[in-house]
Amino acid sequence: MIILNTLEDFQQNYRAGKKWQRCMEAINNLKNIQANVFYSIGDSLVYRLSEGGAENTELFEGHRRYFDVHYYLAGNEQVEIAAKNALTPTVAYRDESDREFFRGQGELHELKAGNVVIFENHEAQRFSQGKDVRKVILKVTVEETYFLNK
């Protein structure tokens, strides 16, 4: 997991590459979207505005084809993160949803308004204890700008 303190830090560190530019395009479009509706930019990024904290979940969630980028607009939230190989697989990976689930323990982090967080695919995460959370969740393909199977 990579935690950047501000959107400016994200822009400075991740300005090269079409997928990162598309992240900024999505973030700049937030005033034109509805909460909890998925939008896409090309075939490499889907995003949505999320309001309200995540439900406390028992399982860690991991991905393989997409990684998540969360930009916190308001509130704060705790996330527990762990390497997948340190967790116990519980629900097998499904290509249709790009999700797999695990049990175990990880390291707890506090996320707050202004943070941009990149969840890497060798890790899994579970969210808890959010308060007044408003964030944009971007799902970015691990491929550069296209899907290899198309």
Side-chain angles (χ1 to χ4, degrees), residues 8-121:
E8 291 76 24
D9 291 344
F10 175 76
Q11 289 175 294
Q12 183 176 2
N13 291 300
Y14 295 93
R15 62 181 169 263
K18 193 164 204 158
K19 64 183 162 190
W20 303 118
Q21 293 167 0
R22 286 183 170 171
C23 285
M24 286 309 305
E25 183 180 338
I27 290 168
N28 290 332
N29 190 44
L30 289 178
K31 65 183 178 291
N32 299 315
I33 68 172
Q34 297 176 12
N36 298 314
V37 174
F38 279 94
Y39 297 85
S40 68
I41 299 176
D43 61 357
S44 61
L45 183 141
V46 295
Y47 65 105
R48 70 181 171 94
L49 180 61
S50 174
E51 295 178 337
E55 296 178 17
N56 289 351
T57 59
E58 181 181 330
L59 300 177
F60 283 81
E61 181 177 320
H63 305 281
R64 295 183 187 179
R65 294 195 53 173
Y66 289 85
F67 54 90
D68 284 0
V69 176
H70 292 209
Y71 172 41
Y72 285 81
L73 303 167
N76 61 349
E77 185 171 48
Q78 287 186 343
V79 64
E80 192 174 355
I81 194 89
K84 289 180 188 177
N85 62 11
L87 299 170
T88 303
T90 303
V91 178
Y93 178 77
R94 292 192 49 158
D95 191 50
E96 299 85 13
S97 65
D98 186 44
R99 293 191 297 177
E100 56 191 331
F101 296 93
F102 304 86
R103 291 189 189 282
Q105 298 296 314
E107 184 179 338
L108 202 57
H109 296 271
E110 184 77 24
L111 304 173
K112 61 184 180 184
N115 288 158
V116 178
V117 183
I118 302 171
F119 295 98
E120 299 175 281
N121 285 6

